[in-house]
Amino acid sequence: MFDLFWKGILIGIISSAPMGPVGILCIQRTLNKGRWHGFATGIGASFSDLFYAIITGLGMGFVLDFIKANLRNIQFVGSTVLLILGIFIFFKRPFHNYRKTNGVSPHLFKEFSTAFLFTISNALIIFLFIALFAHLQFITSSESMINYIAGFGGILLGSIAWWFGITLLFDRLRGRITLRQLWLVNRITGGIIILLSLAGIFSAFFEDNVSIAQNSLILLSLQ
């Protein structure tokens, strides 16, 4: 049980570590609104990852078949959501959101829910979990229910721990950043997300051979 738990923590950290749009969004919200807004964003992404990890671990073959059959459409939808988010961030002015204090806000659930919905729109993450599960021999047919719970709990804990560390780090830098620099952060963040989303849309509809392997690499940049 403890072996599966620690493997789960490692998988949770690895699946969260790629600094794609969700990571950039987490940092942007931390710098603009405070640590707890960024952390709520990270937790939303963590629960979305947990959802796909459970699907992978329980071997829901029909879900995998559906994703394989609709790979281009799934990538297009995820990239379109990403494009909308990038445009919103690019034109967002930080002056109305910036606070020197980190008080608890009633908008934290909004940060959680938007991150959850955005991350769950990228179903290609399931292929990353397949690779990680196979490499670490995470789930076997002989595992008991308590081992499953420990393993998936480790994934959630590892992911949350990653976002806790990231928001803690950038919250320390927050007091040294001016509003003009925050405006620049928003422009850079939005620009990167827009470029990644356009790359995803191009790959989905303008490349002749879109393979699962190619999309598994793309998802690391979209996650």
Side-chain angles (χ1 to χ4, degrees), residues 83-100:
L83 178 62
I84 295 172
L85 176 66
I87 293 173
F88 175 78
I89 292 175
F90 186 86
F91 290 104
K92 188 177 182 63
R93 297 170 63 88
F95 308 100
H96 302 297
N97 296 314
Y98 185 71
R99 299 289 185 274
K100 286 292 183 181

Side-chain angles (χ1 to χ4, degrees), residues 19-198:
M19 195 50 65
V22 173
I24 295 172
L25 178 63
C26 179
I27 293 171
Q28 186 261 349
R29 285 178 173 174
T30 300
L31 294 176
N32 274 260
K33 302 179 181 180
R35 178 184 176 188
W36 298 114
H37 287 268
F39 188 48
T41 301
I43 292 178
S46 296
F47 275 92
S48 174
D49 287 347
L50 176 64
F51 171 78
Y52 282 120
I54 291 174
I55 288 178
T56 304
L58 296 181
M60 297 178 67
F62 68 92
V63 176
L64 292 177
D65 292 339
F66 174 82
I67 292 175
K68 291 177 183 178
N70 297 275
L71 204 55
R72 291 179 183 272
N73 292 332
I74 291 173
Q75 185 174 323
F76 175 75
V77 171
S79 298
T80 301
V81 172
L82 190 65
L83 178 62
I84 295 172
L85 176 66
I87 293 173
F88 175 78
I89 292 175
F90 186 86
F91 290 104
K92 188 177 182 63
R93 297 170 63 88
F95 308 100
H96 302 297
N97 296 314
Y98 185 71
R99 299 289 185 274
K100 286 292 183 181
T101 58
N102 275 327
V104 177
S105 167
H107 299 295
L108 291 182
F109 181 74
K110 176 184 176 183
E111 316 289 27
F112 169 90
S113 58
T114 54
F116 177 84
L117 292 173
F118 166 67
T119 310
I120 211 167
S121 70
N122 181 24
L124 297 177
I125 187 66
I126 199 170
F127 295 110
L128 176 60
F129 283 118
I130 291 174
L132 290 174
F133 283 13
H135 180 70
L136 295 174
Q137 297 181 343
F138 179 69
I139 294 293
T140 65
S141 59
S142 60
E143 301 294 350
S144 65
M145 180 58 67
I146 188 66
N147 286 354
Y148 277 107
I149 294 174
F152 291 126
I155 291 176
L156 180 62
L157 181 61
S159 181
I160 290 177
W162 171 264
W163 296 119
F164 183 86
I166 288 294
T167 54
L168 178 62
L169 173 63
F170 281 90
D171 186 61
R172 297 290 178 88
L173 301 175
R174 186 172 180 250
R176 306 175 187 177
I177 296 179
T178 65
L179 288 175
R180 179 171 178 80
Q181 289 171 328
L182 282 178
W183 175 83
L184 184 61
V185 167
N186 284 0
R187 286 299 178 95
I188 294 175
T189 299
I192 292 173
I193 293 177
I194 289 171
L195 290 176
L196 289 174
S197 66
L198 292 176

Side-chain angles (χ1 to χ4, degrees), residues 2-23:
F2 289 105
D3 180 62
L4 211 61
F5 176 72
W6 289 112
K7 285 181 179 179
I9 289 179
L10 181 60
I11 290 172
I13 293 173
I14 293 175
S15 63
S16 301
M19 195 50 65
V22 173

